[in-house]
Amino acid sequence: MRSPAEPRRRRPPLLLLLLLTNFAPSFGKETLRTTAVTQQFEQNMDYVDFIHLNVLEKKVLNNSEVSVQYLCSKPCIINLEAVASSEFRTGVPVYRRRWKDEKNLYVSRTRQVHLKFPSIMVYRDDYIIRNSIIVHSVILYAWISHKSVSSYDVEQNEDYQDAVAKNYTFLEAVPPFERPYKDHKVCLQWGADYLWMLQANRIPQCPHESDGVQILNFIYASSGEKTGIMKKFEQFENRELETVRQHQIDYPMFTVSIWLYLLHHCEKDLCGILYFIDPKEMYSTPAVFLNEEGYVHIQMHLMRGDDLAVKTSFSLPLKQWFRLDLSFKGGQIEVSTVGKNLKRHHHQSFTFREDFYYDDTAGYFVLGGSGYVNGIEAFFGPVKYYRLNVLETEQISNPLHDKETVEQIELYYERCMDIQEIVYEYRYIVRQGEKALRNCYYENYYLELIYKYGEKSKCDAFMWGKELREKYRTLFKLLQEMDFSAPDVLEDGSDTVVEVGRRIFEKVAKGLSSADGLSNMGSSVPLLVDSSCCGYHKASYFLAVIFETGLSVSVDHTKGLLYSLVGAQGNERLAVMNLGYKHYQGINNYPLDLELSYAYYSNIAIKTSLDQHTIKGEQAFVETIRLMDDELLKAQTKENGDVFMWLKHEATRGNAAAQQRLAQMLFWGQQGVAKNPEAAIEWYAKGAIETEDPVLIYDYAIVLFKGQGVKKNTKLALELMKKAAAKGLPQAVNGLGWYYHNFKRDYRKAAEHWLIAEKLGNPDASYNLGVLYLDGIYPGVPGRNQTVAARYFYKAAQGGHIEGTLRCSLYYITGNMEDFPRDPEKAVIWAKHIAEKNGYLGHVIRKALNAYLELSWHEALLHYILAAETGIEVSQSNLAHICEERPDLARKYLATDCVWRYYNFSVSQVNAPSFAYLKMGDFYYYGYQNQSKDLELSVRMYAQAALEGDSQGFFNLALVIEEGNSIPSYILDHLEIDQALHSSNTSLLQELYYRCWNNSNQESISPCSLALLYFYMRVFWNNILQSTLIYFMGTFLLSILVAFAVQYFQALSAHNSPGSRSEPSSDEHSSSGNSNEDATRLVQQDESTFSNNLSQQQSDPQNPLVTG
């Protein structure tokens, strides 16, 4: 490294020089600091010149009074000057006064002076003074000069330094909102005066802002891949802090403190810890990496544009918590590590030849990995960033908060080291024994037959102590049952350990899926822990879900978090998604952190894109199949199912549509069919050759190009692709462009084909055009054009393109593109959308669905819980449905309220179904078990279902009003109901019932149509009862009836006939149980709501009822 330059020295400000000057004490009563006469005058005179200041009220006020006491030994000039400093400028003269004294020599004089300051310093803002300033300090200087009085009118800027006597004092600045208004003695026009009065008393609140920023509060599991946490910092809102930040761009002063639990050093080259990416997507100050030996590599961007790097002489420790502190000042770096007890372990300083360039708002920070570098394999603890200060280790406030989880992580890896060592040594002993026996087999045919067909070798004589055997009894028992001669157990010890973990897990998973498997969870958990310790992290995710939900065990959030973090660090896809979902929603004691959520979701989103190009592994197409949808459930099949057999029959007969569907089902594992790429390719080939169907031709060409399940044949693939393109298939035209780009490097032809395909609406073509612009190889366009590339990526994303969506989500999280303002929530939503298409998640969902169709309730419950905890909505609502169907299972095995938990999770999703809103609306309306009623939340849920186009949502809202409740105006506005209708319940009911009917099936009689008809009948009847004529006719008829009755009874009495009376029959009847409970509630409603409206109409006859 080049020898560093000498640190530059900065001139101290004038104010500091003044404060450091040695002043002699003064005899003035209120004077703060006064200088004595210079020695030259002391030698020649008996009297000493002096000047004192006495300020009655030491505040910056208009017309402040100051008393100046002075003595001159010669004709002199007395000077007063006030100098102010604000947040933008320092040393600004705001008041000056001078006078001369030639006669009163050797006599102490006192003069009263009234200070006049600019209005913006002493008055509040008003209609005329628009921008009063915040004053930090005001210094009032006074001095005596013996210069010739004839030069009184000449400017004397250096007088203070040459004065024979001088003095100064500080005046206290008054905050803007404590100042008085100024009487301008002018009359404003009425409009101007009114506008000012509207805002006169609005005091803006300055946000509390500090340069200390907590970048990370919660533990982050970094898997060592190209994903990490991205943070962007804006300018300070506080103008003082922002001014300091801008001044420090060319002389940075900042500190970063990072807690780490490092699992491995970097496997290759450098791994990212913390680095800054500038708008040109280049590394900038600082860039902190870890190398293969564990040393810290620090790269800095210098003022002149160069980049220089240094490396620490100490390495970072493994598998223990420590804090890495880095402070940067000008061109210097201080690096320290401290332990959990905050004792310093290592310290090193570096000095560069020039200062660093650092603007933390021009780009974004990354913790861990990114598209440019892999991250470290570690757990990040709290990360603190001081933007404007250089702090010593003792001054940094960055505690390790969650000490319980921190200790659990340490204990887990200590235990796992023992387990991995046992597995490795056991396998080594068994293999050595087999090797020795194998040498004997060549001499003894009988022994060879025993080895081939007999019991496999195992280690009965343990070399481990009794205490260790007791501690890991279950593990030793399992090891004895395993066959280590199997070909899937590799020679590499680490792979063997993972393989042992896989076998343990599969044994446990098979047991848990059985009828009574969940009842034996107590014995399964230790085995899952052993499997997890062996590095098989499907077991880690099982454990996380078991403890998080209380699946046949007590709920333990600490262990749930531990195994979620361990599984995510080990790259288990479902564990990573689980953490991404919890941080996205801020649930289950996980803090809401969108950047942290994006780090997890983007990891799986990238893997989803790669997984779809890999036909291996336990993957299935993610299908949205709801257990309430009978039609979709009937369409599910298997290889021996009716649907599949019928498709196979049609495909054999040459039906192109059947061949295409059959091939898709087999290739992706759709509709309940097991994934079978080889069989799918046979149907692709058969369809391409026999039916001339362009889609089948194209699909077969793709598998030939890529060699997926078949030998590569580029020549035949190109012929087929051209054939499909000639038939006008957009994806085939795009495929030709892909061929010219990848195989021929002919970018002109590639662009021509992609432009044609894009016009035909192919999103792949849009993405590919974006890649050309991004790489700077678009024909005829010099250099890279990220802006145009981003627009093509966005267009591809709108068409559902996975890589295009990923690119756009990255733009939204970084905010580095002009057309993509930073929006972390949108970035998370887009990354989550892609992550939830992952084939490994689809495999779990498919297992859950198959178990449900086979009425294997325990297995369905287990796998739907595993899928639901990743945050995928369809599994959450399906799990809630199962818990409703089988409440006995939910009560027996789950410690959490399954129905409430997962319907609640469902309605928090962007794509929540309307029936989930209705369910939660009912729960809030009627109250659900331990949950209290909440009318407003209930109405919000019904309204959201209505906005989704569900007629039941409108129906329920109408019933809420029928039962005498009101709907808040903001909800009615959200439903876009005219505000003129808000005050009338009758008008609202008519509107809601009409929308209910409009969104239902109008071809048949529905509850909405009956409710609307019943509503109109009630309104009509109430209008009739309101008529004066009806009252008159009713009274007349009643009178006639009474008269007739009296005459009739008199006649009976006259004939002495015995009267017979029958009990009056009641018109009221109790309705029998009806399947449509809502309709029954409607018919049985009290008429109080309508009587209220009628009374309103009687008081206001100008407002007739709307009858439609």
Side-chain angles (χ1 to χ4, degrees), residues 5 159 175 181 224 298 427 454 470 504 545 678 697 888 951 955-956:
D159 274 357
Y181 286 107
I298 307 172
R427 169 237 178 221
E470 285 296 320
I504 295 173
V545 172
E678 291 77 13
I697 295 172
D888 54 320
S951 60
F955 190 89
N956 289 0

Side-chain angles (χ1 to χ4, degrees), residues 414-431:
E414 287 175 10
R415 185 181 192 278
C416 290
M417 286 176 66
D418 291 342
I419 289 177
Q420 291 174 9
E421 186 177 347
I422 290 169
V423 171
Y424 182 79
E425 289 182 359
Y426 184 91
R427 169 237 178 221
Y428 177 79
I429 292 169
V430 171
R431 294 295 291 270

Side-chain angles (χ1 to χ4, degrees), residues 29 291 923:
K29 182 179 179 182
N291 70 7
F923 292 161

